[in-house]
Amino acid sequence: MEIGRRLLLGLALGLTLTPPLAAALDPFGFFAGIASAVYERLKSRLKECCTEDWIPLDVTGLKANLRKNLFGQHIAIDVIPKAIEGFLSNSEPEKSLTLSIHGWTGTGKNFVSKIIAESLYKEGMDSKYVHLFVASLHFPNAQHTSQYKQQLQQWIHGNVSACERSMFIFDEMDKMHPDVIDSIKPFLDYYSHLNRVSYRKAIFIFLSNAGGVKINEVVLNYWKRGMKREDIRWNDLQDHLALEVYNNKNTGFWHASLIDMNLIDYFIPFLPLEHRHVVLCAKAAMQSRHFKDVEQVAIKVAEEMMYFPKDEKIFSIRGCKQVATKVDYWTTADKET
Ligand SMILES: *[C@@H]1O[C@H](CO)[C@@H](O)[C@H](O)[C@H]1NC(C)=O
Protein backbone atom coordinates (compact mmCIF):
# COMPACT_ATOMS: atom_id res chain seq x y z
CA MET A 1 0.00 0.00 0.00
CA GLU A 2 2.61 2.47 1.18
CA ILE A 3 5.03 1.36 -1.49
CA GLY A 4 2.33 1.45 -4.13
CA ARG A 5 1.39 5.02 -3.24
CA ARG A 6 4.96 6.24 -3.25
CA LEU A 7 5.48 4.49 -6.50
CA LEU A 8 2.58 6.31 -8.08
CA LEU A 9 3.66 9.59 -6.57
CA GLY A 10 7.16 9.04 -7.86
CA LEU A 11 5.84 8.28 -11.31
CA ALA A 12 3.59 11.35 -11.29
CA LEU A 13 6.43 13.54 -10.08
CA GLY A 14 8.75 12.09 -12.65
CA LEU A 15 6.24 12.90 -15.37
CA THR A 16 5.32 16.40 -14.27
CA LEU A 17 8.52 17.77 -12.79
CA THR A 18 11.95 17.78 -14.24
CA PRO A 19 13.60 14.49 -13.29
CA PRO A 20 16.31 15.93 -10.98
CA LEU A 21 13.71 17.85 -8.99
CA ALA A 22 11.42 14.83 -8.70
CA ALA A 23 14.32 12.67 -7.66
CA ALA A 24 15.26 15.17 -5.00
CA LEU A 25 11.71 15.39 -3.61
CA ASP A 26 11.06 11.67 -3.41
CA PRO A 27 14.05 9.62 -4.44
CA PHE A 28 12.56 6.24 -3.61
CA GLY A 29 9.28 6.83 -5.40
CA PHE A 30 10.98 8.41 -8.36
CA PHE A 31 13.31 5.53 -9.02
CA ALA A 32 10.62 2.95 -8.27
CA GLY A 33 8.39 4.79 -10.73
CA ILE A 34 11.02 4.60 -13.40
CA ALA A 35 11.60 0.95 -12.63
CA SER A 36 7.91 0.20 -12.95
CA ALA A 37 7.63 2.07 -16.26
CA VAL A 38 10.67 0.21 -17.56
CA TYR A 39 9.12 -3.04 -16.36
CA GLU A 40 5.91 -2.34 -18.25
CA ARG A 41 7.87 -1.59 -21.42
CA LEU A 42 9.91 -4.73 -21.01
CA LYS A 43 6.86 -6.84 -20.40
CA SER A 44 5.24 -5.67 -23.62
CA ARG A 45 8.53 -6.37 -25.39
CA LEU A 46 8.75 -9.91 -24.09
CA LYS A 47 5.15 -10.98 -24.08
CA GLU A 48 2.95 -10.63 -27.11
CA CYS A 49 0.61 -7.64 -26.96
CA CYS A 50 -1.93 -6.11 -29.29
CA THR A 51 0.50 -3.35 -30.26
CA GLU A 52 2.47 -2.27 -33.33
CA ASP A 53 5.59 -3.94 -31.97
CA TRP A 54 3.88 -7.28 -32.26
CA ILE A 55 1.52 -6.57 -35.12
CA PRO A 56 3.75 -4.73 -37.60
CA LEU A 57 1.33 -5.17 -40.56
CA ASP A 58 4.26 -5.35 -42.93
CA VAL A 59 2.67 -5.26 -46.39
CA THR A 60 5.99 -4.59 -48.13
CA GLY A 61 7.35 -7.75 -46.55
CA LEU A 62 4.21 -9.58 -47.62
CA LYS A 63 4.71 -8.58 -51.26
CA ALA A 64 8.35 -9.59 -51.23
CA ASN A 65 7.67 -12.86 -49.49
CA LEU A 66 4.89 -13.83 -51.90
CA ARG A 67 7.00 -12.95 -54.92
CA LYS A 68 9.89 -15.00 -53.64
CA ASN A 69 8.14 -18.06 -52.28
CA LEU A 70 4.84 -18.55 -54.05
CA PHE A 71 5.10 -20.21 -57.45
CA GLY A 72 2.70 -20.12 -60.36
CA GLN A 73 0.15 -17.80 -58.73
CA HIS A 74 0.48 -14.45 -60.47
CA ILE A 75 -3.09 -13.43 -59.63
CA ALA A 76 -2.77 -14.13 -55.91
CA ILE A 77 0.63 -12.39 -55.79
CA ASP A 78 -0.93 -9.31 -57.33
CA VAL A 79 -4.34 -9.23 -55.65
CA ILE A 80 -3.66 -10.30 -52.05
CA PRO A 81 -1.19 -7.55 -51.06
CA LYS A 82 -3.38 -4.91 -52.74
CA ALA A 83 -6.47 -6.13 -50.91
CA ILE A 84 -4.71 -6.15 -47.57
CA GLU A 85 -2.92 -2.87 -48.11
CA GLY A 86 -6.16 -1.15 -49.06
CA PHE A 87 -7.89 -2.52 -46.01
CA LEU A 88 -5.10 -1.63 -43.59
CA SER A 89 -4.66 1.87 -44.94
CA ASN A 90 -8.28 2.66 -44.13
CA SER A 91 -8.43 3.69 -40.50
CA GLU A 92 -12.22 3.35 -40.47
CA PRO A 93 -13.09 0.33 -42.61
CA GLU A 94 -16.78 -0.33 -43.09
CA LYS A 95 -16.47 -4.00 -42.42
CA SER A 96 -13.95 -6.72 -41.69
CA LEU A 97 -11.86 -7.95 -44.62
CA THR A 98 -12.90 -11.31 -46.08
CA LEU A 99 -10.78 -13.16 -48.60
CA SER A 100 -12.06 -16.36 -50.12
CA ILE A 101 -9.23 -18.41 -51.58
CA HIS A 102 -10.03 -21.20 -54.02
CA GLY A 103 -8.06 -23.82 -55.82
CA TRP A 104 -6.88 -27.33 -56.38
CA THR A 105 -4.91 -29.30 -53.73
CA GLY A 106 -1.34 -28.26 -53.14
CA THR A 107 -1.50 -24.96 -55.00
CA GLY A 108 -0.42 -22.95 -51.97
CA LYS A 109 -3.59 -21.82 -50.21
CA ASN A 110 -2.44 -22.75 -46.70
CA PHE A 111 1.05 -21.59 -47.47
CA VAL A 112 -0.23 -18.15 -48.40
CA SER A 113 -2.30 -17.78 -45.26
CA LYS A 114 0.86 -18.57 -43.33
CA ILE A 115 2.80 -15.92 -45.25
CA ILE A 116 0.05 -13.39 -44.57
CA ALA A 117 0.13 -14.21 -40.85
CA GLU A 118 3.92 -13.91 -40.76
CA SER A 119 3.89 -10.52 -42.45
CA LEU A 120 1.19 -8.99 -40.34
CA TYR A 121 2.04 -10.56 -36.97
CA LYS A 122 5.51 -10.92 -35.53
CA GLU A 123 4.67 -14.35 -34.15
CA GLY A 124 3.06 -15.49 -37.40
CA MET A 125 0.80 -18.50 -37.07
CA ASP A 126 1.85 -18.81 -33.42
CA SER A 127 0.46 -15.39 -32.62
CA LYS A 128 -2.36 -15.45 -30.14
CA TYR A 129 -4.17 -13.06 -32.47
CA VAL A 130 -4.14 -15.51 -35.38
CA HIS A 131 -6.70 -18.31 -35.25
CA LEU A 132 -6.83 -21.30 -37.53
CA PHE A 133 -9.91 -23.47 -37.73
CA VAL A 134 -9.87 -26.64 -39.80
CA ALA A 135 -13.37 -27.95 -40.48
CA SER A 136 -12.55 -31.66 -40.17
CA LEU A 137 -10.50 -31.06 -37.04
CA HIS A 138 -12.41 -28.42 -35.09
CA PHE A 139 -15.96 -29.04 -36.29
CA PRO A 140 -15.99 -32.71 -37.31
CA ASN A 141 -19.28 -33.87 -35.89
CA ALA A 142 -22.53 -32.67 -37.47
CA GLN A 143 -24.42 -33.59 -34.31
CA HIS A 144 -22.50 -31.02 -32.31
CA THR A 145 -23.23 -28.18 -34.67
CA SER A 146 -25.10 -26.04 -32.21
CA GLN A 147 -22.30 -26.38 -29.69
CA TYR A 148 -19.72 -25.44 -32.34
CA LYS A 149 -21.75 -22.41 -33.33
CA GLN A 150 -21.94 -21.11 -29.82
CA GLN A 151 -18.30 -21.76 -29.13
CA LEU A 152 -17.12 -20.16 -32.34
CA GLN A 153 -19.15 -17.02 -31.73
CA GLN A 154 -17.79 -16.76 -28.22
CA TRP A 155 -14.25 -17.21 -29.45
CA ILE A 156 -14.52 -14.60 -32.18
CA HIS A 157 -16.18 -12.22 -29.77
CA GLY A 158 -13.66 -12.86 -27.01
CA ASN A 159 -10.64 -12.60 -29.25
CA VAL A 160 -11.69 -9.49 -31.12
CA SER A 161 -12.56 -7.84 -27.79
CA ALA A 162 -8.98 -8.53 -26.71
CA CYS A 163 -7.48 -7.30 -29.99
CA GLU A 164 -9.37 -5.78 -32.87
CA ARG A 165 -6.57 -6.72 -35.29
CA SER A 166 -7.33 -10.41 -35.01
CA MET A 167 -7.16 -12.80 -37.93
CA PHE A 168 -9.29 -15.90 -38.44
CA ILE A 169 -8.44 -18.55 -41.01
CA PHE A 170 -11.04 -21.17 -41.88
CA ASP A 171 -9.60 -24.13 -43.74
CA GLU A 172 -11.73 -26.72 -45.60
CA MET A 173 -14.57 -24.27 -45.83
CA ASP A 174 -16.38 -26.68 -48.14
CA LYS A 175 -16.55 -29.21 -45.30
CA MET A 176 -18.08 -26.82 -42.78
CA HIS A 177 -21.63 -27.30 -41.72
CA PRO A 178 -23.79 -24.48 -43.18
CA ASP A 179 -25.05 -23.59 -39.70
CA VAL A 180 -21.54 -23.09 -38.42
CA ILE A 181 -20.85 -20.79 -41.34
CA ASP A 182 -24.07 -18.94 -40.63
CA SER A 183 -22.79 -18.22 -37.17
CA ILE A 184 -19.79 -16.32 -38.57
CA LYS A 185 -21.91 -14.09 -40.82
CA PRO A 186 -22.65 -11.32 -38.32
CA PHE A 187 -18.93 -10.75 -37.86
CA LEU A 188 -18.42 -10.20 -41.57
CA ASP A 189 -21.22 -7.75 -42.02
CA TYR A 190 -21.50 -3.99 -42.07
CA TYR A 191 -22.66 -3.59 -38.50
CA SER A 192 -20.59 -0.95 -36.83
CA HIS A 193 -20.79 -2.68 -33.47
CA LEU A 194 -22.13 -5.94 -32.15
CA ASN A 195 -22.44 -6.25 -28.39
CA ARG A 196 -20.26 -3.17 -28.10
CA VAL A 197 -17.41 -4.81 -29.99
CA SER A 198 -16.34 -3.65 -33.44
CA TYR A 199 -15.22 -6.36 -35.85
CA ARG A 200 -14.30 -4.01 -38.64
CA LYS A 201 -10.56 -4.35 -38.26
CA ALA A 202 -10.52 -8.13 -38.21
CA ILE A 203 -9.44 -10.26 -41.15
CA PHE A 204 -11.21 -13.45 -42.21
CA ILE A 205 -9.66 -15.86 -44.68
CA PHE A 206 -11.62 -18.77 -46.12
CA LEU A 207 -9.81 -21.61 -47.86
CA SER A 208 -11.50 -24.22 -50.01
CA ASN A 209 -11.19 -26.46 -53.03
CA ALA A 210 -14.54 -25.19 -54.26
CA GLY A 211 -14.25 -24.00 -57.83
CA GLY A 212 -10.90 -25.71 -58.26
CA VAL A 213 -12.09 -27.91 -61.11
CA LYS A 214 -13.44 -24.88 -62.95
CA ILE A 215 -10.21 -22.96 -62.51
CA ASN A 216 -8.27 -25.94 -63.86
CA GLU A 217 -10.55 -26.02 -66.90
CA VAL A 218 -9.94 -22.38 -67.69
CA VAL A 219 -6.18 -22.74 -67.32
CA LEU A 220 -6.19 -25.85 -69.49
CA ASN A 221 -8.09 -24.00 -72.20
CA TYR A 222 -5.50 -21.26 -72.17
CA TRP A 223 -2.79 -23.83 -72.52
CA LYS A 224 -4.57 -25.56 -75.38
CA ARG A 225 -4.89 -22.30 -77.24
CA GLY A 226 -1.16 -21.74 -76.82
CA MET A 227 -1.61 -18.78 -74.51
CA LYS A 228 0.53 -17.97 -71.53
CA ARG A 229 -1.00 -18.66 -68.15
CA GLU A 230 0.50 -15.44 -66.87
CA ASP A 231 -1.88 -13.65 -69.23
CA ILE A 232 -4.93 -15.02 -67.47
CA ARG A 233 -6.49 -12.07 -65.73
CA TRP A 234 -8.26 -12.05 -62.43
CA ASN A 235 -11.50 -11.02 -64.13
CA ASP A 236 -11.34 -13.98 -66.50
CA LEU A 237 -11.62 -16.26 -63.52
CA GLN A 238 -13.51 -14.32 -60.94
CA ASP A 239 -16.87 -14.49 -62.64
CA HIS A 240 -16.45 -18.17 -63.50
CA LEU A 241 -15.49 -18.79 -59.94
CA ALA A 242 -18.35 -16.98 -58.27
CA LEU A 243 -20.82 -18.65 -60.62
CA GLU A 244 -19.36 -22.12 -60.20
CA VAL A 245 -19.15 -21.88 -56.46
CA TYR A 246 -22.62 -20.43 -56.32
CA ASN A 247 -24.22 -23.18 -58.38
CA ASN A 248 -22.31 -26.17 -57.15
CA LYS A 249 -24.67 -28.29 -55.10
CA ASN A 250 -22.00 -29.53 -52.74
CA THR A 251 -20.51 -26.22 -51.84
CA GLY A 252 -23.16 -23.85 -53.08
CA PHE A 253 -25.11 -23.60 -49.91
CA TRP A 254 -22.63 -21.74 -47.77
CA HIS A 255 -21.17 -19.68 -50.47
CA ALA A 256 -24.52 -18.71 -51.84
CA SER A 257 -25.51 -17.13 -48.58
CA LEU A 258 -22.23 -15.29 -48.19
CA ILE A 259 -22.23 -14.16 -51.81
CA ASP A 260 -25.87 -13.10 -51.69
CA MET A 261 -25.10 -10.83 -48.83
CA ASN A 262 -21.92 -9.53 -50.45
CA LEU A 263 -19.93 -10.53 -47.44
CA ILE A 264 -16.93 -11.79 -49.39
CA ASP A 265 -14.69 -8.98 -50.54
CA TYR A 266 -12.34 -10.94 -52.78
CA PHE A 267 -12.48 -14.27 -54.58
CA ILE A 268 -8.93 -15.33 -55.22
CA PRO A 269 -8.27 -18.20 -57.62
CA PHE A 270 -5.21 -20.42 -57.24
CA LEU A 271 -4.11 -22.00 -60.51
CA PRO A 272 -3.07 -25.64 -60.93
CA LEU A 273 0.71 -26.09 -60.88
CA GLU A 274 2.82 -27.36 -63.76
CA HIS A 275 6.00 -29.41 -63.79
CA ARG A 276 8.18 -26.28 -63.77
CA HIS A 277 6.45 -24.98 -60.64
CA VAL A 278 7.01 -28.27 -58.85
CA VAL A 279 10.71 -27.94 -59.72
CA LEU A 280 10.69 -24.48 -58.13
CA CYS A 281 8.96 -25.78 -55.00
CA ALA A 282 11.53 -28.55 -54.67
CA LYS A 283 14.42 -26.12 -55.13
CA ALA A 284 12.99 -23.81 -52.50
CA ALA A 285 12.59 -26.72 -50.08
CA MET A 286 16.21 -27.70 -50.62
CA GLN A 287 17.55 -24.18 -50.31
CA SER A 288 15.75 -23.78 -47.01
CA ARG A 289 17.63 -26.89 -45.87
CA HIS A 290 20.89 -25.34 -47.12
CA PHE A 291 21.59 -27.79 -49.88
CA LYS A 292 23.81 -26.40 -52.62
CA ASP A 293 23.35 -28.68 -55.60
CA VAL A 294 19.60 -28.46 -55.99
CA GLU A 295 19.02 -28.86 -59.70
CA GLN A 296 19.18 -32.63 -60.07
CA VAL A 297 17.12 -33.59 -57.07
CA ALA A 298 14.50 -30.99 -57.93
CA ILE A 299 14.05 -32.53 -61.36
CA LYS A 300 13.85 -36.04 -59.90
CA VAL A 301 11.21 -34.93 -57.44
CA ALA A 302 9.15 -33.22 -60.13
CA GLU A 303 9.33 -36.33 -62.30
CA GLU A 304 7.98 -38.47 -59.51
CA MET A 305 4.80 -36.46 -59.22
CA MET A 306 1.71 -37.42 -61.20
CA TYR A 307 0.11 -35.11 -63.69
CA PHE A 308 -3.28 -34.57 -65.29
CA PRO A 309 -5.25 -34.57 -67.58
CA LYS A 310 -4.52 -38.13 -68.66
CA ASP A 311 -3.39 -37.23 -72.17
CA GLU A 312 -1.65 -33.91 -71.78
CA LYS A 313 -0.17 -34.44 -68.29
CA ILE A 314 0.32 -30.76 -67.59
CA PHE A 315 -0.80 -30.14 -64.05
CA SER A 316 0.47 -31.78 -60.91
CA ILE A 317 -2.31 -33.79 -59.26
CA ARG A 318 -1.09 -32.94 -55.80
CA GLY A 319 0.40 -29.57 -56.65
CA CYS A 320 3.46 -29.02 -54.50
CA LYS A 321 2.11 -31.13 -51.67
CA GLN A 322 4.59 -33.72 -50.37
CA VAL A 323 7.38 -32.14 -52.38
CA ALA A 324 9.29 -31.41 -49.16
CA THR A 325 8.97 -35.05 -48.07
CA LYS A 326 10.26 -36.25 -51.42
CA VAL A 327 13.15 -33.82 -51.16
CA ASP A 328 14.04 -35.32 -47.79
CA TYR A 329 13.93 -38.78 -49.28
CA TRP A 330 16.23 -37.95 -52.19
CA THR A 331 18.69 -35.95 -50.18
CA THR A 332 19.13 -38.73 -47.61
CA ALA A 333 19.35 -41.33 -50.37
CA ASP A 334 22.11 -39.24 -51.97
CA LYS A 335 24.09 -39.05 -48.79
CA GLU A 336 24.06 -42.78 -48.33
CA THR A 337 25.36 -43.68 -51.76
C1 LIG B 1 -9.76 -17.19 -28.74
O1 LIG B 1 -9.79 -18.26 -29.69
C2 LIG B 1 -9.25 -19.47 -29.23
C3 LIG B 1 -9.33 -20.45 -30.35
O2 LIG B 1 -8.47 -20.06 -31.39
C4 LIG B 1 -9.97 -19.96 -27.99
O3 LIG B 1 -9.39 -21.13 -27.52
C5 LIG B 1 -9.96 -18.90 -26.94
O4 LIG B 1 -10.73 -19.30 -25.84
C6 LIG B 1 -10.50 -17.58 -27.48
N1 LIG B 1 -10.35 -16.54 -26.49
C7 LIG B 1 -11.37 -15.88 -25.98
C8 LIG B 1 -11.04 -14.83 -25.00
O5 LIG B 1 -12.51 -16.12 -26.31
Side-chain angles (χ1 to χ4, degrees), residues 95-112:
K95 67 185 278 302
S96 53
L97 176 68
T98 51
L99 308 177
S100 194
I101 297 183
H102 301 259
W104 194 250
T105 324
T107 49
K109 303 185 297 289
N110 281 291
F111 183 61
V112 160

Side-chain angles (χ1 to χ4, degrees), residues 49-51 55 121 129 158-167 202:
C49 302
C50 184
T51 58
I55 311 181
Y121 301 84
Y129 308 120
N159 282 293
V160 176
S161 308
C163 184
E164 58 180 4
R165 279 283 181 226
S166 290
M167 184 158 102

Side-chain angles (χ1 to χ4, degrees), residues 13-277:
L13 282 173
L15 288 174
T16 48
L17 303 175
T18 55
L21 187 54
L25 282 175
D26 183 2
F28 172 77
F30 175 71
F31 289 112
I34 288 186
S36 122
V38 168
Y39 173 72
E40 283 304 318
R41 284 292 303 249
L42 262 176
K43 203 172 71 179
S44 83
R45 284 263 170 93
L46 298 175
K47 196 164 159 290
E48 189 180 21
C49 302
C50 184
T51 58
E52 244 173 74
D53 284 347
W54 293 92
I55 311 181
L57 304 174
D58 178 12
V59 181
T60 314
L62 173 63
K63 274 183 213 161
N65 204 339
L66 287 177
R67 251 186 245 130
K68 179 157 175 263
N69 296 308
L70 183 66
F71 306 117
Q73 305 301 351
H74 66 283
I75 295 174
I77 290 176
D78 179 44
V79 173
I80 291 176
K82 279 186 195 155
I84 292 181
E85 189 166 28
F87 175 68
L88 294 178
S89 66
N90 184 352
S91 59
E92 290 292 327
E94 286 188 299
K95 67 185 278 302
S96 53
L97 176 68
T98 51
L99 308 177
S100 194
I101 297 183
H102 301 259
W104 194 250
T105 324
T107 49
K109 303 185 297 289
N110 281 291
F111 183 61
V112 160
S113 42
K114 188 167 151 263
I115 293 181
I116 295 174
E118 284 168 359
S119 318
L120 305 187
Y121 301 84
K122 201 167 160 196
E123 300 289 290
M125 292 302 286
D126 294 331
S127 166
K128 62 182 175 192
Y129 308 120
V130 175
H131 308 274
L132 170 67
F133 301 104
V134 184
S136 61
L137 197 72
H138 293 93
F139 316 112
N141 199 331
Q143 284 167 333
H144 297 160
T145 299
S146 66
Q147 185 196 329
Y148 296 150
K149 275 171 61 172
Q150 217 185 2
Q151 203 171 43
L152 188 56
Q153 289 196 320
Q154 268 172 15
W155 284 350
I156 296 178
H157 173 84
N159 282 293
V160 176
S161 308
C163 184
E164 58 180 4
R165 279 283 181 226
S166 290
M167 184 158 102
F168 302 89
I169 303 165
F170 292 87
D171 192 9
E172 302 180 347
M173 196 65 177
D174 28 3
K175 293 193 188 129
M176 288 253 272
H177 193 286
D179 286 350
V180 177
I181 292 167
D182 257 357
S183 71
I184 316 173
K185 266 198 234 165
F187 304 111
L188 312 179
D189 215 337
Y190 291 84
Y191 305 115
S192 62
H193 290 82
L194 210 63
N195 295 329
R196 292 187 303 280
V197 177
S198 163
Y199 296 90
R200 292 179 298 178
K201 292 202 170 161
I203 298 177
F204 291 83
I205 299 179
F206 302 126
L207 312 178
S208 76
N209 296 336
V213 173
K214 189 76 205 177
I215 297 171
N216 293 355
E217 230 175 81
V218 173
V219 182
L220 182 63
N221 272 330
Y222 259 74
W223 184 86
K224 281 184 175 161
R225 282 183 288 159
M227 294 158 82
K228 273 171 58 187
R229 74 189 256 140
E230 287 78 12
D231 290 337
I232 302 176
R233 286 164 310 159
W234 187 28
N235 282 341
D236 299 339
L237 279 165
Q238 198 167 220
D239 296 342
H240 278 298
L241 193 58
L243 217 69
E244 164 70 14
V245 171
Y246 195 88
N247 290 327
N248 188 315
K249 278 177 205 66
N250 297 323
T251 60
F253 192 90
W254 67 269
H255 255 112
S257 66
L258 296 182
I259 297 171
D260 267 349
M261 299 177 69
N262 277 319
L263 297 182
I264 294 185
D265 300 309
Y266 298 91
F267 282 97
I268 300 163
F270 272 53
L271 315 186
L273 298 179
E274 299 172 18
H275 182 279
R276 60 187 161 122
H277 303 120

